[in-house]
Amino acid sequence: MDLCPAESTGLTGAEEAEIETIRKHRQELLDDIKKLKEEIAEVIAEIERFQREEEKQVADSNPGEQISKQSERDKILSLGRKKFNMDPEKGIQYLIEHQVLSSDLQEIARFLHKGEGLNKTAIGDYLGGRDPTNIQILQAFVACHQFANLNLVQALRQFLWSFRLPGEAQKIDRMMEAFANWYCKCNPGVFQSTDTCYVLSFSIIMLNTSLHNPNVKDKPHFERFVSINRGIDNGGDLPEELLKNLFESIKNEPFSIPEDDGNDLTHTFFNPNREGWLVKLGGRVKTWKRRWFILTDNCLYYFEYTTDKEPRGIIPLENLSVRKVDDPKKPNCFELFIPNCKGQKIKACKTDGDRKVVEGKHQSYKISAATPAERDEWIEAIRTNISQDPFYDLVSARKKKIASKN
């Protein structure tokens, strides 16, 4: 897709030529990066081959001098970790083939739990897999945690630090199900069922977000937390003292979520689902401004210039819908809005004139594309990216299950 719309943009010839030069330069950089990755892979393979030949020559010329097995194992382990961080399945397979790991699922789980040199996101992605082997490793991984005599928040702190929770609802469900089962086994009698532990765990995670996310202005009170969790203990209510202790623990200290080096903005914007120039209607001041939009990871980012490193605004697409709309001043418009919630502001943020992050003022976002075809392509791409918050869906389903038992 071109950097500039096909229609007249109001730019001078020199400005359009400069944008075209930037577009070509950007494509050249992307091509160079791709070639570098391929060359790095070839170099790594060549280094491995060279090391094997060198070690063989040393062994042949010095029969009495054996290369340290531990040193060789460390090299394989280091390479295996790198492979795991790029592709968890291939990394584990490599370590098994080179006999650093056995195929014993308990041993693999302990390796992941120890986590030395492993990307936490890659661990979460691997553990969340639906293959029966992955599920068994997940159960063994959870069992590596010592939850006995810990309250639920303490156990969640330990659990959520050992990996990064993936974004896919089914993976989250499997991982939290395994957590709830193991916690209840370690602490019999605390809850009447694992369903109670499952629902309360999600409530705590969502409470953590609500209390400590600066974009959430309406901070929940303890009474609201109690209300949300009514009837989840096999139809009965949990002791208020227990809920109070959990609430205060999260209020006083948020969860520490592990960060991986690969999750910075450069990584986020490197391979977007869609990008291009669009014209956006302001929230408080109703003026149309041309912005460079990037669609990736269930968010719509917009920039003042393509060369900006940080976005002017971020629109999370969770729980939003998109549709075509007409506007008397601009053609080819579409709108982002919250269905069935008229008057509610979209949870978004932007930077003001002083570059401070402030809450967005939009109840909906009206955006104009250059052509009807481009508008339809953006709508389709956004619909593909939009996702409902999986936590709410999972908790709702489990609450219905509890209610059906009573």
Side-chain angles (χ1 to χ4, degrees):
M1 176 182 170
D2 292 337
L3 275 174
C4 296
E7 294 181 359
S8 175
T9 61
L11 298 175
T12 66
E15 288 172 332
E16 290 183 348
E18 184 179 355
I19 288 175
E20 179 62 19
T21 301
I22 291 171
R23 184 189 69 80
K24 290 180 179 179
H25 182 58
R26 178 180 177 279
Q27 188 58 50
E28 289 172 359
L29 285 174
L30 291 174
D31 292 340
D32 288 344
I33 289 171
K34 183 179 179 182
K35 290 178 182 177
L36 281 171
K37 285 185 173 182
E38 293 173 351
E39 290 174 4
I40 288 170
E42 292 176 0
V43 169
I44 289 175
E46 184 66 19
I47 289 173
E48 291 178 18
R49 185 188 65 78
F50 176 77
Q51 287 177 336
R52 287 194 297 269
E53 290 180 356
E54 185 181 52
E55 289 163 0
K56 185 177 183 303
Q57 290 174 1
V58 171
D60 291 343
S61 60
N62 302 284
E65 184 179 336
Q66 295 295 323
I67 298 174
S68 168
K69 290 184 179 181
Q70 184 62 41
S71 176
E72 175 66 15
R73 185 183 183 280
D74 289 344
K75 291 177 184 177
I76 295 172
L77 180 58
S78 177
L79 185 57
R81 286 168 175 161
K82 293 176 182 177
K83 288 180 180 291
F84 178 89
N85 293 339
M86 291 187 288
D87 187 323
E89 296 284 352
K90 290 182 179 179
I92 294 295
Q93 187 61 38
Y94 174 85
L95 292 171
I96 291 174
E97 288 175 355
H98 288 77
Q99 299 181 343
V100 173
L101 280 179
S102 72
S103 56
D104 179 70
L105 305 186
Q106 299 284 340
E107 182 180 339
I108 295 172
R110 289 192 294 271
F111 171 74
L112 298 177
H113 181 251
K114 192 174 182 181
E116 289 183 3
L118 301 182
N119 181 289
K120 302 274 185 165
T121 302
I123 294 174
D125 185 58
Y126 182 78
L127 292 172
R130 63 181 180 180
D131 186 87
T133 299
N134 293 72
I135 293 173
Q136 291 178 56
I137 292 172
L138 167 63
Q139 292 168 345
F141 174 86
V142 175
C144 291
H145 295 78
Q146 302 299 320
F147 293 154
N149 301 316
L150 298 182
N151 69 33
L152 192 56
V153 168
Q154 292 170 328
L156 281 170
R157 289 190 195 282
Q158 184 187 136
F159 184 58
L160 296 176
W161 181 252
S162 59
F163 65 97
R164 275 186 69 87
L165 204 61
E168 186 181 329
Q170 291 182 335
K171 289 186 176 183
I172 295 172
D173 178 57
R174 284 191 288 269
M175 300 177 88
M176 296 307 296
E177 182 78 51
F179 167 82
N181 286 333
W182 181 243
Y183 181 84
C184 289
K185 188 173 182 179
C186 292
N187 298 278
V190 174
F191 303 114
Q192 292 191 39
S193 73
T194 57
D195 289 333
T196 305
C197 182
Y198 177 99
V199 172
L200 186 56
S201 296
F202 273 118
S203 294
I204 291 169
I205 293 172
M206 291 187 286
L207 174 67
N208 179 79
T209 301
S210 299
L211 287 175
H212 300 289
N213 187 331
N215 293 324
V216 178
K217 302 303 180 184
D218 182 21
K219 302 299 182 184
H221 299 289
F222 172 65
E223 291 73 18
R224 183 173 165 190
F225 182 64
V226 173
S227 176
I228 289 172
N229 291 292
R230 289 200 186 283
I232 67 171
D233 201 24
N234 277 2
D237 294 340
L238 290 165
E240 190 166 307
E241 183 180 356
L242 182 148
L243 294 177
K244 184 70 173 178
N245 290 336
L246 299 178
F247 181 90
E248 291 298 326
S249 179
I250 286 296
K251 183 180 178 181
N252 294 330
E253 182 184 355
F255 285 133
S256 296
I257 305 299
E259 294 290 345
D260 286 319
D261 293 339
N263 290 335
D264 57 17
L265 290 180
T266 303
H267 177 77
T268 298
F269 301 140
F270 179 72
N271 189 27
N273 300 106
R274 189 173 181 83
E275 58 184 332
W277 289 107
L278 295 168
V279 183
K280 181 184 75 70
L281 181 63
R284 184 171 56 85
V285 180
K286 299 299 181 182
T287 56
W288 292 88
K289 292 185 178 179
R290 188 167 177 266
R291 295 287 183 251
W292 177 255
F293 279 80
I294 290 181
L295 176 64
T296 185
D297 291 339
N298 297 321
C299 283
L300 193 59
Y301 302 83
Y302 57 90
F303 301 76
E304 191 168 357
Y305 306 104
T306 58
T307 52
D308 289 349
K309 292 184 177 180
E310 295 183 0
R312 287 299 304 271
I314 303 172
I315 309 170
L317 297 176
E318 294 170 1
N319 306 310
L320 297 187
S321 292
V322 61
R323 63 190 173 194
K324 295 180 186 178
V325 292
D326 294 323
D327 187 272
K329 295 183 178 180
K330 288 289 180 182
N332 314 315
C333 288
F334 61 90
E335 182 181 49
L336 292 166
F337 65 100
I338 305 175
N340 305 318
C341 291
K342 189 175 181 180
Q344 181 177 336
K345 289 180 182 178
I346 293 175
K347 57 173 185 178
C349 63
K350 65 175 184 176
T351 53
D352 61 12
D354 297 325
R355 291 292 178 180
K356 293 180 180 179
V357 177
V358 297
E359 184 182 13
K361 303 292 185 182
H362 289 263
Q363 295 180 12
S364 66
Y365 282 86
K366 189 177 286 187
I367 300 170
S368 172
T371 66
E374 190 174 319
R375 174 200 60 200
D376 294 344
E377 289 169 0
W378 272 102
I379 289 174
E380 180 61 30
I382 289 171
R383 281 179 177 160
T384 301
N385 260 256
I386 284 176
S387 66
Q388 301 291 322
D389 189 328
F391 283 10
Y392 290 97
D393 292 338
L394 292 170
V395 170
S396 177
R398 193 56 62 101
K399 282 186 175 180
K400 288 179 181 177
K401 177 183 175 184
I402 293 172
S404 67
K405 291 180 178 178
N406 299 280

